[in-house]
Amino acid sequence: MRRMSDSATGSADHAALQNRLLGLTRKRLEKFVSLLPKVLVSDHPDAIHDTRVWSRRLEQVFRVLFPKPRSAKSRKLVRTLRNVRRALGECRNIDVSIDLIQQKLDSGNSQTIREAWAQIQEHLRQKRAAEIERSREELTRHDIIAFVTRTQALLQSTELHNGPNGILKKGVAEALADWEEAFAAARESPEANQIHALRIAGKRLRYRAELLAELGETPFKSLAKSLKSLQNELGHWHDCLVLLQFVADFIGRPDFLVNHPELGRVLLTEMEKERHRNDSTLADVFESAEKIREWRARSAPED
């Protein structure tokens, strides 16, 4: 009788935990689908940013709940989220660059430097207006109602035979292994593509760790917190890199340097300063990343 009772209790706990996980998934779904329409009617930077963030959070749930080999249905859901995020990616890049330039305009630089940055800012604002229209046109190709219907149907048919915690911990372990590989590559060769890969791997790991933290797994709260701090540092590094690329494109327009040599000289000097400042932040990034490696040695569950 005791064995049957223990078995029944375990099954009940399993079912309760699975329901909590699916409930968290539905909340992420609700958040994402509530944000997407805002982008279609509002060009506020926060709407664009939040839509991209919640698409990542929802995607990582899908990747954990529906591991490889994935069905065609789950692959389609993930593909939709990635396409939405990519459609808004350039707008987000422009927004952060406009904001960074505004900080420079507010910092009290010389009038010549301010005029140079102001021209780029206006150029980006014009570019953003066109990019918003392009993004919206692309987003209208996605049937959000069909996306919700397919997601709910797939969640209703989901049965986590290995237990929700086991599934999630395996997903975190896989993401952590990918993150450590990206970190090692970035330390060995701190080129832009390697640092960017570390940034993306950190996002995937963070959003998976957040799920376990929300389910009451206390050790993963500190991991999620450390990853958020690292993500902020890498985000600033990435934003500066994007700004430098926009400046390079602005200067590289046909005949620009011929017609505006003084403006070009000022911007090239500013670019060099910005590049050096951005490169110097990598030491702090790697120091923060080491703390995440320490977390694994101290708190990660055994395989």
Side-chain angles (χ1 to χ4, degrees):
M1 293 291 293
R2 171 59 64 89
R3 288 184 179 178
M4 291 181 63
S5 178
D6 289 345
S7 176
T9 300
S11 297
D13 290 344
H14 175 102
L17 200 55
Q18 175 165 312
N19 287 337
R20 286 181 61 195
L21 175 56
L22 294 179
L24 289 174
T25 304
R26 291 187 178 97
K27 286 184 179 179
R28 281 160 169 70
L29 173 64
E30 180 180 346
K31 185 69 175 180
F32 170 70
V33 299
S34 69
L35 285 165
L36 189 57
K38 293 182 180 180
V39 179
L40 299 176
V41 297
S42 169
D43 62 356
H44 196 285
D46 287 349
I48 294 171
H49 171 65
D50 291 347
T51 300
R52 283 170 48 80
V53 167
W54 284 95
S55 75
R56 287 188 185 279
R57 282 196 166 101
L58 186 55
E59 179 182 335
Q60 291 311 307
V61 181
F62 288 164
R63 289 187 179 278
V64 171
L65 291 180
F66 315 123
K68 294 180 180 179
R70 296 186 180 89
S71 67
K73 292 180 179 179
S74 63
R75 289 199 305 271
K76 188 171 185 178
L77 295 179
V78 169
R79 187 164 57 249
T80 297
L81 292 171
R82 295 180 67 184
N83 288 341
V84 167
R85 194 161 59 249
R86 288 172 177 172
L88 297 171
E90 187 70 356
C91 286
R92 176 59 183 165
N93 286 338
I94 294 172
D95 285 338
V96 296
S97 290
I98 289 175
D99 186 58
L100 285 175
I101 292 172
Q102 189 59 49
Q103 294 176 32
K104 295 178 183 301
L105 294 175
D106 294 339
S107 65
N109 287 320
S110 71
Q111 184 63 25
T112 302
I113 294 176
R114 285 173 53 82
E115 289 177 359
W117 283 117
Q119 285 202 32
I120 295 181
Q121 189 181 58
E122 179 57 30
H123 170 72
L124 289 178
R125 282 177 174 150
Q126 294 176 12
K127 181 180 178 68
R128 186 183 192 274
E131 188 61 28
I132 282 287
E133 293 304 315
R134 186 205 62 78
S135 298
R136 286 173 175 165
E137 181 179 351
E138 186 170 341
L139 291 175
T140 57
R141 301 172 188 170
H142 300 289
D143 187 339
I144 192 63
I145 303 300
F147 175 81
V148 171
T149 301
R150 289 195 300 269
T151 300
Q152 290 179 329
L154 205 55
L155 291 177
Q156 287 173 358
S157 65
T158 299
E159 177 63 33
L160 305 180
H161 298 288
N162 295 326
N165 270 17
I167 293 292
L168 287 175
K169 287 179 179 179
K170 180 180 179 181
V172 169
E174 292 173 349
L176 186 54
D178 291 341
W179 180 88
E180 287 192 326
E181 183 178 341
F183 179 41
R187 285 295 298 266
E188 181 178 349
S189 179
E191 303 296 330
N193 62 324
Q194 301 288 11
I195 304 299
H196 181 65
L198 175 64
R199 175 172 171 259
I200 298 302
K203 289 183 177 183
R204 292 169 179 163
L205 177 57
R206 174 191 168 188
Y207 296 144
R208 295 185 186 192
E210 282 180 346
L211 271 173
L212 275 168
E214 289 184 56
L215 288 173
E217 292 284 344
T218 302
F220 291 90
K221 292 181 180 179
S222 62
L223 175 60
K225 183 177 180 180
S226 296
L227 285 164
K228 181 179 180 180
S229 177
L230 176 62
Q231 188 174 326
N232 289 339
E233 293 177 0
L234 283 168
H236 180 71
W237 170 87
H238 176 263
D239 293 346
C240 291
L241 196 68
V242 168
L243 175 60
L244 288 172
Q245 185 59 59
F246 280 138
V247 176
D249 293 342
F250 182 79
I251 295 175
R253 293 177 301 169
D255 298 328
F256 175 82
L257 289 175
V258 173
N259 296 327
H260 307 281
E262 181 61 20
L263 182 60
R265 182 190 65 79
V266 170
L267 288 172
L268 287 170
T269 301
E270 288 294 294
M271 285 179 69
E272 187 64 14
K273 293 178 182 178
E274 195 71 26
R275 185 181 66 80
H276 280 299
R277 281 194 295 267
N278 210 31
D279 288 346
S280 68
T281 65
L282 290 181
D284 294 333
V285 167
F286 291 143
E287 182 178 348
S288 296
E290 284 291 352
K291 295 178 181 178
I292 295 171
R293 297 182 71 182
E294 293 171 4
W295 177 90
R296 180 170 194 177
R298 181 178 66 253
S299 304
E302 296 180 359
D303 295 336

